[in-house]
Amino acid sequence: MLIDVEVGMEGFVVRTTVSVIKADVGSIPGHHTVHPKQLELARSLMAEAVDDGVVASYHVTHVGDDIQLIMTHGRGENDRTIHELAWNIFQEITRRVSKPLKLYGAGQDLLADSFSGNIRGAGPGVAELEFEERKSEPILIFCADKTNPGAWNLPLYKIFADPFNTAGLVIDPSLHEGFCFRVLDLREDAFVDLTTPEELYDLLALIGTPSRYIVEGVRRRDGLPAAAASTSRLSLIAGRYVGKDDPVLIVRAQHGLPALGEVLEAFAFPHLVAGFMRGSHYGPLTPVSMKDAVVSRFDGPPRVVGLGFQIADRCLVGLRGTEPVDLFADAAFDRVRQQAFDVTDYMRRHGPVMPHLLGPEEMEYTTMPQVLSKLKNRFKPMHTPRIAMQG
Ligand code: F6R
Ligand code: MG
Ligand code: MG
């Protein structure tokens, strides 16, 4: 599996890139889950890419109706070959499986007509992290369904800036200096870098509005890459509702970075995120094991799975081959799930009323404006003499 001579040899630095590229290219039944044939095809095409030396290793998985291609390689971030590989795999799944089986939403997230050099902005979500492999390299990958990239704001803040979550920020000298957060302003197409703990309040002032400001990545103060998130908003690309972004997140852990348990601790609170039913409702982000990586009740509730790997010489190491550790398959998260289900009951009782329903700004990108436009001409100025109500 090693792809160049110096890899893994004592004294040589291995530069590794982890790319996670995901898309919803069709599901069964409706938006519930993916079809095994889609995953089978993705795996066989990824295996060819390993044989061709394009990627060093891969793992294909899904959460709800989204397929994630997890790849390791030495080509760096935003590499054309890697992005094209992922684009072609999603195209092939659409052409050879989703369309013939008439799966729901076949090819849904492939918004561009063709590949034009970078998959960002073409529909699929991308998170990539390039780094020098440490002596031992634990990598955690989180994949969510029925939500959007702002869903990572609160967990990322907790992991890298909240000492009540991450004890290492207080105790461990290598975390004590703090972290740097890159925050995107999706409205203005701009970004800002903020360092914690000094700029903690500024950071919170932005990321408390996850519909507009989203954390794209985190580095340690000495520049060490620590986390990367997918940031695409399909609605902003297409200018209309086309499904959920269902983001992914890569986090490096341990030895000078937050411990595995500190990273997972951030998911012990099922916070409310946007994206439940029709991308129009708030619901709790529920940490689940791979066996529950589907959505059901009211097309949700929003879910997150956590996959744990080591990386050795650019290759993913799992329990059997690249099969990851299922991080939320633990009784310690049962009460979090129960709380999430209780919150789901409570939110559902609001029906189509805010704050279960998203606010008007976000509803702009749903089918709601079509409904409201029909009523437009029926409104009369408030000072009009009121006539008897007409049925
Ligand atoms: C899709 C999703 C769903 C759909 C809903 C209506 O990711 O989250 O909640 O928005 O099932 O879908 P259509 O309009 O395709 O029937
Ligand atoms: Mg779908
Ligand atoms: Mg989805």
Side-chain angles (χ1 to χ4, degrees):
M1 293 257 251
L2 305 184
I3 61 172
D4 61 27
V5 281
E6 76 273 354
V7 169
M9 285 167 61
E10 214 44 51
F12 283 82
V13 170
V14 181
R15 282 203 76 78
T16 297
T17 310
V18 177
S19 297
V20 185
I21 307 188
K22 52 86 35 189
D24 175 350
V25 287
S27 44
I28 171 171
H31 288 289
H32 180 65
T33 191
V34 298
H35 194 286
K37 282 196 158 53
Q38 295 175 302
L39 299 178
E40 241 170 67
L41 178 58
R43 286 180 185 127
S44 76
L45 295 172
M46 288 290 338
E48 284 174 21
V50 171
D51 292 344
D52 295 345
V54 175
V55 297
S57 71
Y58 72 89
H59 178 70
V60 174
T61 190
H62 84 100
V63 57
D65 54 12
D66 292 274
I67 296 175
Q68 287 84 20
L69 310 175
I70 301 171
M71 301 167 263
T72 57
H73 54 92
R75 297 166 177 274
E77 296 170 16
N78 288 311
D79 178 74
R80 186 188 171 105
T81 310
I82 296 294
H83 284 209
E84 190 164 22
L85 170 69
W87 176 264
N88 289 342
I89 291 177
F90 289 128
Q91 288 279 9
E92 284 302 287
I93 297 172
T94 304
R95 191 176 67 79
R96 287 160 60 180
V97 183
S98 310
K99 286 194 170 160
L101 297 182
K102 288 182 72 174
L103 296 183
Y104 199 71
Q108 174 192 286
D109 286 358
L110 305 178
L111 300 181
D113 298 330
S114 59
F115 181 73
S116 61
N118 193 310
I119 205 167
R120 287 180 199 271
V126 186
E128 298 189 295
L129 200 60
E130 186 188 11
F131 49 83
E132 288 178 6
E133 256 181 53
R134 296 172 292 167
K135 197 165 145 212
S136 179
E137 193 59 70
I139 283 278
L140 317 175
I141 293 175
F142 297 92
C143 310
D145 191 27
K146 301 300 174 245
T147 186
N148 52 36
W152 304 133
N153 281 8
L154 184 55
L156 283 171
Y157 161 75
K158 287 184 163 205
I159 295 165
F160 293 105
D162 178 4
F164 280 74
N165 181 90
T166 299
L169 293 169
V170 179
I171 296 171
D172 183 341
S174 46
L175 276 74
H176 198 84
E177 292 304 308
F179 287 87
C180 179
F181 288 70
R182 175 155 294 179
V183 179
L184 305 189
D185 177 347
L186 294 182
R187 292 273 157 75
E188 297 295 328
D189 259 329
F191 70 88
V192 59
D193 291 340
L194 294 171
T195 48
T196 55
E198 296 91 317
E199 296 180 297
L200 194 70
Y201 299 159
D202 295 319
L203 176 68
L204 286 170
L206 296 179
I207 67 172
T209 305
S211 54
R212 173 167 177 176
Y213 300 102
I214 55 181
V215 179
E216 180 187 54
V218 182
R219 286 178 176 261
R220 210 166 59 183
R221 289 289 278 272
D222 61 3
L224 187 98
S230 63
T231 55
S232 59
R233 293 289 312 262
L234 290 170
S235 55
L236 298 183
I237 298 170
R240 65 188 158 85
Y241 179 70
V242 277
K244 239 82 66 242
D245 309 297
D246 302 332
V248 288
L249 170 68
I250 307 170
V251 182
R252 295 169 82 194
Q254 309 278 173
H255 196 69
L257 288 169
L260 165 71
E262 290 168 335
V263 178
L264 298 185
E265 179 65 9
F267 293 91
F269 168 54
H271 68 297
L272 290 173
V273 295
F276 204 172
M277 180 50 84
R278 297 176 185 275
S280 307
H281 296 79
Y282 285 106
L285 188 65
T286 314
V288 293
S289 69
M290 280 307 296
K291 83 172 172 36
D292 291 317
V294 293
V295 288
S296 57
R297 182 181 177 188
F298 203 54
D299 284 357
R303 273 160 218 235
V304 55
V305 295
L307 310 175
F309 301 92
Q310 288 288 136
I311 294 202
D313 303 334
R314 281 194 193 139
C315 289
L316 292 165
V317 175
L319 292 177
R320 289 166 298 281
T322 64
E323 197 61 38
V325 176
D326 190 353
L327 296 170
F328 293 130
D330 178 35
F333 279 92
D334 285 351
R335 285 179 51 175
V336 182
R337 291 186 263 274
Q338 190 52 53
Q339 191 181 16
F341 300 148
D342 292 343
V343 169
T344 301
D345 282 337
Y346 174 82
M347 294 300 281
R348 282 301 304 124
R349 287 175 70 186
H350 292 78
V353 175
M354 285 171 59
H356 189 20
L357 191 74
L358 304 189
E361 258 195 15
E362 291 201 78
M363 292 301 289
E364 283 281 304
Y365 294 101
T366 69
T367 41
M368 185 71 113
Q370 290 168 40
V371 175
L372 295 180
S373 70
K374 283 203 295 192
L375 295 174
K376 208 167 155 229
N377 296 332
R378 293 187 45 195
F379 276 91
K380 300 185 174 56
M382 290 263 265
H383 53 75
T384 312
R386 311 280 161 96
I387 47 172
M389 219 187 273
Q390 292 154 352

